Amino acid sequence: MLFNLAVLFGTLVAMEGVGTLAHKYVMHGWGWWLHRSHHEPHLGMLETNDLYLLALGLIAALLVALGKAGHAPLQWVGAGVAGYGVAYVLAHDGFFHRHWPRAPRPVNRYLKRLHRAHRLHHAVKGRQGSVSFGFFYAPPLRVLKRQLKQRRG
Ligand SMILES: [Zn+2]
Ligand SMILES: [Zn+2]
């Protein structure tokens, strides 16, 4: 049991790394055409960017299915991927962008920094030159601001 929990938590932590890299190099790279909707003003509840979440859900389901088929620890990796997806929706859609009517407000320094860092991520409209690609870890704000200034030249 302890091993399974370790796999679950390890996956959750690793997913922040995977998510940050995917956001930086895939979503702001060759996958920009899907992520772009998220960096433009929009009216509806859904964006093409949500397809990334769907892909994450499919990967999680596949891992759980493989786990059930005999590769046991993969179930917990799948659960970790799914858990990260849920946490992403709560943090990114709910907390950062306030897509929900009663959005929680940042109450501590960690959440404030996370929130402002994502604002800075959206301060850049195009594909290139953005900062802070993580969702649960953000570099110090002064570092991000310096990066933004340098990129604007
Ligand atoms: Zn982005
Ligand atoms: Zn965003």
Side-chain angles (χ1 to χ4, degrees):
M1 191 60 207
L2 216 56
F3 173 71
N4 290 338
L5 279 180
V7 171
L8 176 70
F9 282 113
T11 304
L12 279 171
V13 173
M15 277 306 290
E16 172 64 2
V18 173
T20 303
L21 291 175
H23 187 191
K24 187 166 182 177
Y25 295 107
V26 179
M27 295 159 86
H28 281 252
W30 54 265
W32 173 248
W33 60 287
L34 286 173
H35 185 54
R36 184 181 183 169
S37 67
H38 183 61
H39 282 264
E40 285 171 350
H42 55 90
L43 303 166
M45 281 294 284
L46 291 172
E47 319 170 336
T48 51
N49 184 50
D50 294 331
L51 288 172
Y52 282 112
L53 202 61
L54 189 70
L56 197 69
L58 289 177
I59 291 168
L62 185 74
L63 286 166
V64 172
L66 283 174
K68 288 212 188 292
H71 309 277
L74 283 181
Q75 278 181 63
W76 294 91
V77 176
V81 172
Y84 185 81
V86 172
Y88 163 83
V89 170
L90 290 175
H92 180 264
D93 294 7
F95 176 60
F96 294 165
H97 291 293
R98 302 173 191 250
H99 282 186
W100 299 330
R102 275 181 157 269
R105 307 218 146 248
V107 287
N108 62 38
R109 289 180 58 188
Y110 165 70
L111 290 177
K112 266 189 197 135
R113 171 157 138 185
L114 221 50
H115 194 270
R116 295 220 181 107
H118 197 68
R119 277 285 118 91
L120 292 177
H121 175 70
H122 280 279
V124 179
K125 297 292 167 229
R127 180 171 76 85
Q128 282 173 321
S130 198
V131 295
S132 186
F133 293 90
F135 297 104
F136 297 96
Y137 168 76
L141 293 173
R142 57 188 160 75
V143 172
L144 296 176
K145 282 181 185 154
R146 202 189 316 131
Q147 285 176 346
L148 274 175
K149 226 182 229 154
Q150 276 167 0
R151 281 167 206 194
R152 275 170 187 163

